[in-house]
Amino acid sequence: MLAASPPATAGSVTPQSAVFPILISLSFCHLLNDLMQSLIPALYPMLKTQLHLDFAQIGLITLAFQLTASLLQPTVGIYTDRKPRPYSLAIGMGSTLIGLVLLSMADDYRTVLLAAALVGSGSAVFHPEASRVARLASGGRYGVAQALFQVGGNLGSAFGPLLAAFIVLPRGQGAIAWVSLVALLAMAVLTRVGMWYAARLRPSHAAPRAAAGVTREHAVFFVFVLMLLVLSKNVYSSSLTSFFTFYLIDRFHLTVQDAQVQLFIFMAAVAVGTLAGGALTDKVGRRPMIWISILGALPFTLALPYANLFWTAVLTIIIGLLMASAFSAILVYAHELLPGRVGLVSGMFFGFAFGLGGLGAAAMGSIADAHGIAFVYQLCSYLPAIGLVAWLLPNLERDRQPRAA
């Protein structure tokens, strides 16, 4: 079924319809990948109690996981731009497998940090090459393809807290070893995706070309602007994923399981927002979607620290929907700025997202220890105002017709 599509250079898209079986397979594996990753923050209440950790140490666990991914992803992207490695997707998942097994046996803080770093390394290998395959299979529907790929990760992140709340937490830390079997399933599916990808590679000697009317200096500046937008989005999102359960327990006296359900609701909204944002990106354009997504969330983030429990749930749904819809637009915009550099761009932005989330979590953990968890959300509520820098971005769709990378 899939063999009918013509060969293509790595990172390019030939004139064809979107190959949805491959896109769905990538989305499914992204779901499994992020399901396993999301166990780490979901286990924080248990690890905090068992290992007697403070909030700063909790933040450092997130830093170990996310900073590892952020440092390695651009390197992986640069390498695979030059020498694509179709089966690296399955191999990278093996690092996640080892990390989870280690986490299931960890009885000290250093082992937890090492396990988190190994899971982060698995992400570093998975994201750049999977994003390239998604673009290759998009048939020119770049926003939809990236959103479909990304929504799998969002769903995995959403179900992770439920998995922790109803399976791992009641049965203890050793239950994580059973979850590691998910990595084996992902490796099998990614091996099949790698076979499809390998059959469509052919050597490319064409030098990457900059977007029409955009010099290299301008492209670097616009990428910096996009990174500022990712900063506002991911540091705020990290404050929710890392500390939201503690916030709900502290302010509204919820049980751990009830707080995990609230976190699931937020993550589910993120998944819906990602998918909707990809479709809207292809319709309304990259730049307008960025405006709507990030700056549009500002009134709701400002209101969140002062809301009761009901309105907290409502506001987090709205914030999740809006903020999540930005990433596909940002990533596709960056691909257009630097065509032919899909691995580098994807690795840089996925890695930058992880790194900022980790640094943000570490900083917010220290602030929470000093001033209380509620103050963290008052401080973070102003981050979406950084979305004003989207005014500096040119409208690439207006300046040129869309073309293959």
Side-chain angles (χ1 to χ4, degrees):
M1 176 177 62
L2 300 177
S5 300
T9 35
S12 71
V13 178
T14 55
Q16 61 181 39
S17 299
V19 186
F20 282 103
I22 291 297
L23 293 175
I24 292 171
S25 295
L26 289 170
S27 183
F28 175 67
C29 289
H30 202 180
L31 184 153
L32 298 181
N33 183 76
D34 286 25
L35 173 71
M36 293 180 286
Q37 292 174 9
S38 66
L39 279 179
I40 295 176
L43 292 172
Y44 284 168
M46 182 182 73
L47 294 173
K48 188 176 189 293
T49 301
Q50 290 183 355
L51 302 179
H52 309 289
L53 307 179
D54 57 30
F55 283 119
Q57 289 174 307
I58 292 291
L60 286 174
I61 297 173
T62 303
L63 178 63
F65 158 61
Q66 295 185 339
L67 191 59
T68 302
S70 70
L71 290 175
L72 290 178
Q73 283 197 49
T75 304
V76 172
I78 292 171
Y79 178 76
T80 55
D81 276 337
R82 297 176 179 177
K83 298 180 179 180
R85 292 291 184 263
Y87 299 105
S88 64
L89 292 167
I91 295 171
M93 195 62 65
S95 177
T96 299
L97 172 64
I98 296 170
L100 286 176
V101 172
L102 191 60
L103 185 61
S104 71
M105 301 182 296
D107 57 2
D108 62 86
Y109 183 59
R110 290 182 180 178
T111 305
V112 171
L113 290 177
L114 176 59
L118 285 170
V119 175
S121 298
S123 287
V125 176
F126 174 77
H127 285 96
E129 200 70 340
S131 182
R132 183 202 310 281
V133 178
R135 187 171 177 88
L136 181 64
S138 70
R141 300 174 66 182
Y142 304 127
V144 169
Q146 290 297 333
L148 187 57
F149 168 64
Q150 186 65 21
V151 78
N154 296 145
L155 288 172
S157 298
F159 285 111
L162 294 184
L163 186 68
F166 296 107
I167 296 179
V168 177
L169 292 178
R171 290 168 174 78
Q173 187 177 350
I176 301 172
W178 292 102
V179 180
S180 65
L181 295 176
V182 172
L184 291 176
L185 174 61
M187 290 173 72
V189 176
L190 289 173
T191 299
R192 178 67 184 91
V193 171
M195 293 169 62
W196 179 90
Y197 180 25
R200 280 146 189 85
L201 290 175
R202 57 182 168 82
S204 174
H205 305 288
R209 294 176 298 169
V214 177
T215 65
R216 173 178 290 186
E217 291 75 16
H218 287 154
V220 170
F221 174 73
F222 296 143
V223 167
F224 174 74
V225 171
L226 293 173
M227 286 187 169
L228 285 178
L229 296 172
V230 173
L231 168 72
S232 68
K233 172 186 177 299
N234 280 81
V235 173
Y236 188 88
S237 296
S238 180
S239 73
L240 285 177
T241 55
S242 293
F243 301 110
F244 193 46
T245 53
F246 296 113
Y247 173 76
L248 294 171
I249 292 168
D250 178 70
R251 181 166 182 187
F252 301 113
H253 309 292
L254 298 185
T255 66
V256 173
Q257 284 193 342
D258 288 340
Q260 295 284 19
V261 170
Q262 291 292 326
L263 180 59
F264 165 76
I265 292 172
F266 166 73
M267 298 305 296
V270 168
V272 173
T274 299
L275 198 56
L280 288 172
T281 293
D282 287 336
K283 290 183 180 296
V284 306
R286 302 13 164 179
R287 188 170 179 264
M289 197 67 233
I290 293 170
W291 272 104
I292 295 168
S293 300
I294 297 181
L295 197 59
L298 181 61
F300 305 103
T301 60
L302 290 173
L304 180 64
Y306 310 100
N308 60 24
L309 180 59
F310 171 79
W311 284 107
T312 294
V314 172
L315 289 171
T316 53
I317 290 172
I318 297 172
I319 292 167
L321 288 170
L322 286 171
M323 282 197 163
S325 62
F327 192 74
S328 294
I330 291 172
L331 190 60
V332 173
Y333 193 104
H335 285 160
E336 293 176 347
L337 283 172
L338 300 172
R341 301 289 188 181
V342 175
L344 170 62
V345 170
S346 299
M348 190 165 54
F349 275 87
F350 279 112
F352 191 62
F354 278 118
L356 286 176
L359 290 172
M364 296 307 157
S366 297
I367 293 172
D369 285 331
H371 301 285
I373 198 72
F375 181 73
V376 168
Y377 289 93
Q378 294 174 3
L379 183 64
C380 289
S381 66
Y382 296 94
L383 283 171
I386 296 176
L388 288 168
V389 301
W391 178 78
L392 299 171
L393 297 172
N395 190 338
L396 297 181
E397 289 98 342
R398 181 190 61 196
D399 296 337
R400 63 178 178 134
Q401 292 296 319
R403 58 177 174 83

